[in-house]
Amino acid sequence: MTAPGPVLRSLVDPFHPHPYRVVARRRETSDTVTLRLCPATDPYLPGSPGQFMMLTAFGIGEVPISLSRVPDRSGMLEHTIRAVGSVTRHLVALRPGDWVGVRGPFGTGWPLDLARGRDVLLVAGGLGFAPLRSALEAILERRQDYRRVTVLLGARTPSDVLYRQILPRWQRRNDVDLRVTVDRPDERWRGQVGVVPQLVSQVAPSFEPTETVAFICGPDVMMRFTVRELQRHGVSDDRIFLSLERNMQCGVGLCGHCQLGPFFLCKDGPVLPYSRLMPFYEVREL
Amino acid sequence: MARGSVVIESAHLRTLILTLQREGYQVIGPTVRDGSIVYAELSSDGDLPVGWTDEQEAGHYRLRRRDDQAVFGYAVGPHSWKRFLLPSPFVLWRARRTADGVLEETPPADAPRYAFLGVRSCDLHAIRVLDRIVLAGTAVDPIYAHRREQAFIVTVQCANFAPRTCFCVSMGTGPRATAGYDLALTELLEPGAHRFVVEIGSERGANLLAHVPHRPARAADLRAAEQAIARTATQMGRRLDTNGLKAALYANLEHPRWNDVAERCLTCGNCTMVCPTCFCFSVEDRTDLSGNVTERVRQFDVCFTTAFTYTAGTSHRHSARARYRQWVLHKLATWVDQFGTFGCVGCGRCITWCPVGIDITEEAAVLSSRRGAGAEDT
């Protein structure tokens, strides 16, 4: 996935964003859009599933956003962004042709190497599907390298489910078991109702716990309960990977904001195995 | 490592400063301002705090007149060298939105060439700690790197004062500086013989001394210097047992003492600002009135604010307990895992400048004791 690009200015000076342009904008939910970005100048930035970029809205500020689609051969990439603060509100409002500053890629990606030859379980809550989408696409590109592939998605309501245009394409495949659940159904919802950790028991019979690698991304409470469920079904802690969200400002372990115990989540994470996270992740307010 | 020692008379401290200035250095050193000793640009030796000493205790700092003409007869003040190596605020870049949407960037100005005069052993170690973080990590901070590369370091060995809040002996960071300087001065105050023993630590240091009148150091000079430094070591006002400290703190993340200290801590962040190794920064984008020119500014940040961990609508560390715990845990435990060294060099600044006198050595002793034991450090 990681293309060995030419020497990047960001390696010399990690604080300078690269100019990108919005080339497409797709509304996902009431407050979330996906932006397709294209490098305005060479060289373009590489990136692997699970890594994140720092996106700058001109004159407003910078935020960490994970890659929902990794850069293709022309450097085109996608970010799914929810409007929650001033920077993300501005990013979500951008239109094709608008400028975006991009720094990155930062952090650890999903351990696809470890997942190869094993059952893979992707568990996403809400916007947590964005970084897992890039993993799913990488897996489907080389589907034969993996055993059972299961995707469990949770959202608050049916209209909060991400990537609804593409979802049916994945659901139609017989080599992917994709299940969606919502907390609060509307009158037209015919799928499952409940929280996403509950789905683990449903699919547990179909995967081999000792040969399973799980990738989880979502709200902390959802990840904690999902981990419990996976443990209960015999998946070992060093095969359960979480992607954590913290205040990230520099992306290179220099600004200090994203610390969790000994980890700088921007460079040691955001993806870490539960076995390493556990002593710190389970301590309140650490 | 020392490449020999010489002696210069106190009058030639002036020559040393002038020589540094002539070599193109901006000389930064201790000076008296607002009732404390701070680091600022020196125009001559006249700016140095001659005849001053300080009186430090937990939450207490006063300058006092000495009855001699000592130039360096005091411990460290509220400033540390990070304010020059990691300038704050600092404009990372400036950009302009033009008619065709293209961005122009203003290249940052050249880094100043600093000579630091009066770097104590603890602060030399603090600079080395910063080196590990900002020079040896996955990314190099170019702002620090340029300043650090060029900096000429004149160390002053700690002598001729009683170090009340210091605990460099416990941290293995002093009081004697043994490496990392270009020149190291030890001030000798003998009646009628005010002089400095100068240890040469680098080629650069040796070259500079060629312009400063000096004589070879005699055995008696060296002996007097060692004695003066050794006296400081025996007078340490604080101690911290670092044996097993990291593991003990990791094991005591829910120790009741965290609640106790949180009742006293004002979460003002003074400790982080005076700490010579606290490196955390935040970035902010600022625009002009037109909205077409923007600059990204970085400045020191403080882990004692709730904003420090604010993410997507919530702070990860709400309570004062959690924020104080983060700071101490970082200094004395997680820092070791991150950078292979403590984040504390025993300079004592956080003790002196804490408005309520929280003493990290006292807290760490209790926090690393068996849960609830409430051990007293004596």
Side-chain angles (χ1 to χ4, degrees):
Chain A
M1 276 299 140
T2 311
V7 175
L8 299 170
R9 182 174 176 197
S10 53
L11 294 180
V12 185
D13 186 341
F15 305 123
H16 281 259
H18 295 255
Y20 273 62
R21 297 250 174 230
V22 177
V23 290
R25 177 182 188 269
R26 191 175 60 240
R27 178 161 284 283
E28 301 289 353
T29 73
S30 61
D31 58 2
T32 304
V33 304
T34 295
L35 297 181
R36 178 173 294 177
L37 305 178
C38 187
T41 55
D42 278 324
Y44 66 81
L45 303 168
S48 313
Q51 289 192 298
F52 69 94
M53 300 289 196
M54 295 297 301
L55 302 188
T56 295
F58 186 91
I60 309 296
E62 197 181 35
V63 284
I65 306 284
S66 52
L67 287 162
S68 52
R69 297 191 81 180
V70 297
D72 65 13
R73 279 158 187 265
S74 63
M76 196 110 73
L77 51 89
E78 283 189 15
H79 287 289
T80 300
I81 305 159
R82 195 169 86 193
V84 287
S86 61
V87 181
T88 47
R89 262 202 308 279
H90 277 83
L91 288 171
V92 159
L94 292 178
R95 301 288 157 179
D98 285 344
W99 178 93
V100 181
V102 181
R103 292 193 300 127
F106 298 121
T108 53
W110 299 109
L112 291 168
D113 286 340
L114 181 72
R116 236 161 249 138
R118 298 197 163 93
D119 292 337
V120 195
L121 186 60
L122 310 183
V123 191
L127 199 60
F129 191 22
L132 282 169
R133 179 189 171 172
S134 57
L136 179 61
E137 289 192 336
I139 289 166
L140 295 181
E141 229 168 74
R142 303 181 59 91
R143 179 65 188 85
Q144 69 284 0
D145 289 359
Y146 305 87
R147 301 203 321 186
R148 294 197 68 91
V149 176
T150 310
V151 184
L152 307 178
L153 297 182
R156 272 173 300 181
T157 71
S159 54
D160 289 316
V161 178
L162 292 185
Y163 311 130
R164 272 170 295 166
Q165 305 95 317
I166 328 158
L167 220 49
R169 209 189 311 154
W170 292 323
Q171 279 170 315
R172 271 198 302 275
R173 293 178 69 129
N174 55 16
D175 57 357
V176 178
D177 182 357
L178 190 150
R179 303 180 186 210
V180 186
T181 181
V182 299
D183 298 348
R184 295 192 305 276
D186 58 19
E187 57 280 8
R188 288 183 307 164
W189 180 251
R190 289 184 297 165
Q192 306 205 49
V193 177
V195 293
V196 73
Q198 293 171 348
L199 298 186
V200 173
S201 290
Q202 285 179 18
V203 297
S206 67
F207 60 77
E208 201 179 319
T210 57
E211 281 302 315
T212 294
V213 174
F215 300 167
I216 316 173
C217 187
D220 280 332
V221 60
M222 166 264 170
M223 292 202 284
R224 287 204 172 88
F225 280 100
T226 303
V227 169
R228 303 280 177 279
E229 282 298 301
L230 291 170
Q231 287 173 323
R232 205 163 61 81
H233 288 99
V235 181
S236 73
D237 288 355
D238 56 356
R239 298 263 175 85
I240 302 174
F241 292 84
L242 277 60
S243 177
L244 300 191
E245 185 180 35
R246 284 292 186 282
N247 185 332
M248 290 164 183
Q249 297 197 10
C250 72
V252 289
L254 292 178
C255 81
H257 288 84
C258 66
Q259 290 178 79
L260 173 65
F263 306 119
F264 288 97
L265 289 174
C266 72
K267 68 180 174 89
D268 303 319
V271 176
L272 279 164
Y274 183 73
S275 53
R276 293 183 64 204
L277 276 174
M278 183 188 51
F280 311 102
Y281 187 58
E282 299 296 342
V283 178
R284 282 192 65 197
E285 287 195 86
L286 197 71
Chain B
M1 285 295 137
R3 305 174 179 203
S5 299
V6 300
V7 169
I8 66 174
E9 293 305 317
S10 66
H12 287 302
L13 196 54
R14 166 187 295 258
T15 321
L16 179 70
I17 293 170
L18 284 172
T19 308
L20 284 166
Q21 287 166 339
R22 215 174 299 128
E23 299 280 316
Y25 290 106
Q26 187 180 340
V27 181
I28 310 290
T31 192
V32 174
R33 199 178 72 201
D34 301 333
S36 63
I37 289 167
V38 297
Y39 298 142
E41 182 168 8
L42 304 177
S43 53
S44 76
D45 61 330
D47 295 334
L48 291 163
V50 176
W52 286 102
T53 191
D54 55 14
E55 186 183 280
Q56 299 198 35
E57 255 312 326
H60 178 92
Y61 183 98
R62 292 289 181 278
L63 286 188
R64 294 270 177 258
R65 276 286 175 196
R66 300 172 62 99
D67 49 18
D68 59 23
Q69 292 299 298
V71 184
F72 299 106
Y74 40 83
V76 291
H79 282 184
S80 70
W81 305 99
K82 72 177 182 183
R83 64 190 289 113
F84 302 98
L85 293 169
L86 291 168
S88 169
F90 185 85
V91 177
L92 292 172
W93 48 264
R94 195 170 284 122
R96 181 183 300 274
R97 187 158 45 189
T98 61
D100 52 353
V102 181
L103 256 92
E104 299 168 359
E105 291 175 23
T106 316
D110 283 343
R113 253 177 112 221
Y114 288 124
F116 298 150
L117 172 64
V119 181
R120 308 297 179 132
S121 185
C122 56
D123 282 351
L124 269 181
H125 281 83
I127 292 171
R128 221 170 291 160
V129 168
L130 290 177
D131 287 349
R132 286 191 189 216
I133 297 162
V134 290
L135 298 182
T138 47
V140 170
D141 176 355
I143 300 146
Y144 180 93
H146 292 154
R147 285 160 177 74
R148 173 71 170 108
E149 258 162 39
Q150 302 185 79
F152 189 102
I153 294 182
V154 182
T155 279
V156 167
Q157 304 283 11
C158 284
N160 310 312
F161 66 93
R164 293 305 309 149
T165 54
C166 303
F167 52 104
C168 60
V169 169
S170 298
M171 304 311 292
T173 55
R176 196 189 196 305
T178 54
Y181 50 77
D182 294 297
L183 296 172
L185 316 182
T186 307
E187 185 169 21
L188 295 179
L189 291 158
E190 284 159 25
H194 188 184
R195 62 197 195 278
F196 294 96
V197 173
V198 185
E199 295 163 87
I200 301 161
S202 73
E203 197 70 42
R204 259 196 324 188
N207 293 340
L208 194 94
L209 272 185
H211 306 283
V212 183
H214 61 270
R215 63 165 172 84
R218 290 188 274 270
D221 299 316
L222 298 177
R223 210 179 315 118
E226 291 306 330
Q227 280 169 358
I229 304 166
R231 205 173 308 125
T232 309
T234 62
Q235 290 178 308
M236 284 287 122
R238 298 289 194 281
R239 57 179 290 275
L240 177 62
D241 186 2
T242 59
N243 195 19
L245 183 57
K246 182 188 95 169
L249 287 172
Y250 273 144
N252 284 338
L253 295 176
E254 305 291 356
H255 197 292
R257 183 73 173 195
W258 297 117
N259 295 319
D260 181 90
V261 69
E263 305 242 312
R264 289 170 280 139
C265 176
L266 307 178
T267 67
C268 68
N270 264 16
C271 48
T272 69
M273 289 184 279
V274 296
C275 178
T277 67
C278 269
F279 59 86
C280 291
F281 65 81
S282 61
V283 290
E284 187 180 50
D285 286 9
R286 299 174 184 164
T287 52
D288 69 352
L289 284 175
S290 73
N292 288 324
V293 178
T294 186
E295 56 184 27
R296 178 159 296 162
V297 183
R298 104 176 174 189
Q299 51 194 334
F300 279 124
D301 203 357
V302 172
C303 57
F304 281 85
T305 66
T306 50
F308 190 82
T309 53
Y310 192 83
T311 316
T314 183
S315 170
H316 278 94
R317 295 185 204 111
H318 288 286
S319 65
R321 170 187 183 270
R323 285 175 269 143
Y324 183 81
R325 181 176 65 186
Q326 166 61 23
W327 187 69
V328 167
L329 195 68
H330 195 205
K331 289 289 148 192
L332 300 176
T334 55
W335 205 297
V336 180
D337 285 335
Q338 292 166 348
F339 307 112
T341 169
F342 285 114
C344 173
V345 294
C347 71
R349 288 181 176 96
C350 61
I351 303 172
T352 299
W353 295 95
C354 175
V356 293
I358 293 172
D359 180 337
I360 190 173
T361 63
E362 185 188 339
E363 299 307 323
V366 179
L367 288 163
S368 60
S369 67
R370 219 164 284 143
R371 192 174 295 217
E376 294 287 319
D377 188 281
T378 46

